[in-house]
Amino acid sequence: MADLLRTLALGVVAGGAATYAKTRAEGALQPLAERALPPAPAAERRSGADPADHPERMPPAELVDAALRRTVGQGAGEQERTQGSQALHWGMGLGAGLLYTALSQRYPAARAGLGAVFGLVLYGATHATTLPAAGLQAPLRELPRAALLWEPGSHVVYGVVLESVLRLAGRDERTDG
């Protein structure tokens, strides 16, 4: 039981630090990528394309809106979308942190690339596939090319910070298999 609680605590701490770092990295990487690959105004308005100027159009905000439409029959306002988006973003970051912590303890190969591979797998499982398939984000081919740099880049930062915090915290290196 103590091992489980330690794993949960490590996962929450590492997931929180990684989510914070991803959020900051996204804010820094987006303008750099857009300077190199300026987005077309129409592409910037698509869901998932512009967290800096349109956080209400990012996938978590779209999910909040869709959930309210299904449950109460009315979509979310801009403030509800933005606030709900932040809660979902942090919840997903903490959840992925818990998953990675448990997974990387049992299967050390999951730590490949100091967590960067996990960050890219997370990007692939969400922004590159599931979110567009669910209609919560525009397909990658419709997003500005810059988004194809800053979004996976921020996920790499997430994975690296996640693994780094676990190492600094002295993650239990024992494995079950």
Side-chain angles (χ1 to χ4, degrees), residues 19-36:
T19 302
Y20 176 80
K22 180 195 179 304
T23 303
R24 299 296 297 212
E26 196 170 79
L29 292 172
Q30 183 184 357
L32 291 173
E34 288 179 350
R35 208 168 302 131

Side-chain angles (χ1 to χ4, degrees), residues 65-114:
D65 185 65
L68 284 176
R69 286 184 191 284
R70 286 188 184 106
T71 57
V72 298
Q74 179 178 327
E78 188 172 324
Q79 184 175 3
E80 291 171 308
R81 290 171 72 99
T82 302
Q83 288 175 345
S85 176
Q86 291 171 355
L88 278 173
H89 176 75
W90 279 90
M92 290 163 48
L94 293 174
L98 287 166
L99 172 67
Y100 179 79
T101 301
L103 184 69
S104 68
Q105 279 184 202
R106 184 164 172 96
Y107 304 103
R111 303 173 194 163
L114 191 64

